[in-house]
Amino acid sequence: MRTLDNFFSSYLDSIEAEAQERSKLSDSLATEVADELKTAEKKKEDVWKKHNQFAAKLLADRDKIYSDRNKAKQKYDEECGEVESYRQKQASASNDRHAERAAKAYAQQTAEMYNSKNMYLISLAIANRAKRRFYQQDLPMIEDALRDLWQTTLQRLLTLFSQSHSLSLTTARKSQSHIEASQSALAHVDLTADQALFIEHNIRAWQEPADEEFKPCQAYYDTPELSLEPDPKVLLQNRLSKARAKLVEIRPIVESKQREISGLQNLVQAYSKNAALGNSDEVAENLLESLRQVTALANNQMALETEIEIISATLGDDEGTQQPHDFKSTSFTIPTTCSHCQSSIWGLSRQGKTCRRCGITVHAKCEMKVPADCAAVAGDLRRRSSQLARTNSTKSRASHTHTNSLDRIPTSPTYAASTHSTQSPTLAERPPAKVLYSFEATSPFELSVQEGDQVFLEEDDDGSGWVKIAKGDARGLVPASYVELAALAAAGQQEAAGSVQGSGRYVRALYDYAAQGADELSLTEGVVVELTALGDGYAEGWSEGILHGHQGIFPSSYVEQA
């Protein structure tokens, strides 16, 4: 077989026979062959190391994607367990005065669980795509590059040996017969046959791993489809918008690199055929560096295209208003409320985000959960704030109208007004109610009221979070959480009078706080509140106390031990 191994055998035999005749040739061989061979060896070793480093990076990138997938799965399992915990809390508080808050917490946790599920499915799809790309594109590319490296190494070795033989022919004519025999063996080395021999001795059985499939968690059974509940849908719409923007940026770069690679491949072929053009190793190194760069970019492009494909297929035409906010990192010097989750934004620096155009503030974690409906003008902003308040009111009262808050769909005031009966109930049928908080109407269907106003309830909450009331001859809609039936208020006061019991522990308010519901206490800076038996263990971030004979809850971060 005409391989490099056979050639070496013939060559060594020739060298042994010519030992004495080649003493004068040794200096020439040392300078013109041996030194060049060492230089070539060092260059090839450097290239080989870079190949190994690049292969290790591909493995690390693939393993990182797998790790992200596993973390997303773990996060999803944890959130599922939390959903069950909140469900049990809601069930235990079904007859409690704080059932509304328990229902709201359960709905929010369910949304978080669906967000985690969506991230898990996206990570799963990206991991599967990355796996296929690794085994179908990246790994074969590295193998081809190593094969080309071996071929150029062999070519370089053959060139050096030819140079050695040329020196031998000019300085040792007596050994010409031996040199010609070795030269003949050298000329018949078959690179293809040598590579086939290498493959034959190193080939191993291999099969591409199967795609990873969705695994529902044990605590919460679910299906392998992206969740389209309202809050998770917003997150998907925002991720879709950002992925498309990134894809628009990365595609021209990938196309430019691919054109660059095509040109370098032509140069490598030209330099290999004509050594007079220059050093082919430098061109080959430039080609390999471009291949490494375009591979990393193509992997990012693959992940973006996968995410866009999955989310687009799930959302269909329902991609939202696609008017994204322009958020920037912001530090707040005073307690600030997140426009999305309605909780306080805390921290030492850059605690949250502020939209440069419309000015809303959110947690950094809530940035992707805010609908892409930025209102740049003041009128649009006021209408958006009104809609956000109505949505929050709907979530806080959903447990009164349905046992499963996930099935609620908020109804706009306009629609609610159009569906109400045109016949108003009689005075005897209208229960009296008291306004808890002032409200300013923002549409013809709404009614402005002041705190403490006595009104009559004409139409109860139909699930939209709004009720229709009468104040004199005027009628209109107000948020359901802004009014309280007189009978319920009296019953609540009697219940509070018989059940209020302090613990002897007191806290002092650090900031003013306005109650957001009938079960909360309003605080003023410096006021002292006595904690109940539950105290600061009422719920995460909330404490329960007694102030002026009234029992209610308030944020734990707004008080300190007195």
Side-chain angles (χ1 to χ4, degrees), residues 327-330 332 351-355 360-364 367:
F327 284 112
K328 64 176 182 179
S329 298
T330 307
F332 303 102
Q351 312 99 312
K353 303 278 187 176
T354 301
C355 180
I360 69 167
T361 56
V362 296
H363 289 103
E367 176 183 358

Side-chain angles (χ1 to χ4, degrees), residues 109 165 186 201 238 367:
Q109 182 59 37
H165 289 161
L186 173 64
H201 283 79
N238 288 337
E367 176 183 358

Side-chain angles (χ1 to χ4, degrees), residues 220-250:
Y220 188 90
Y221 177 75
D222 212 336
T223 57
E225 287 83 24
L226 297 181
S227 172
L228 287 181
E229 292 297 326
D231 288 344
K233 183 192 292 185
V234 170
L235 181 63
L236 291 178
Q237 291 169 345
N238 288 337
R239 287 190 66 91
L240 177 62
S241 176
K242 286 188 177 292
R244 283 175 173 168
K246 292 180 181 178
L247 188 60
V248 169
E249 295 177 1
I250 200 173

Side-chain angles (χ1 to χ4, degrees), residues 483-505:
V483 297
E484 182 180 36
L485 292 177
L488 293 179
Q493 291 174 0
Q494 293 176 0
E495 179 185 353
S499 60
V500 173
Q501 184 177 358
S503 63
R505 295 183 295 127

Side-chain angles (χ1 to χ4, degrees), residues 383-404:
R383 287 194 294 272
R384 182 195 173 283
S385 299
S386 176
Q387 293 169 0
L388 181 60
R390 296 167 194 167
T391 302
N392 291 335
S393 177
T394 300
K395 292 181 179 179
S396 68
R397 292 179 56 85
S399 63
H400 287 290
T401 57
H402 202 285
T403 56
N404 187 353

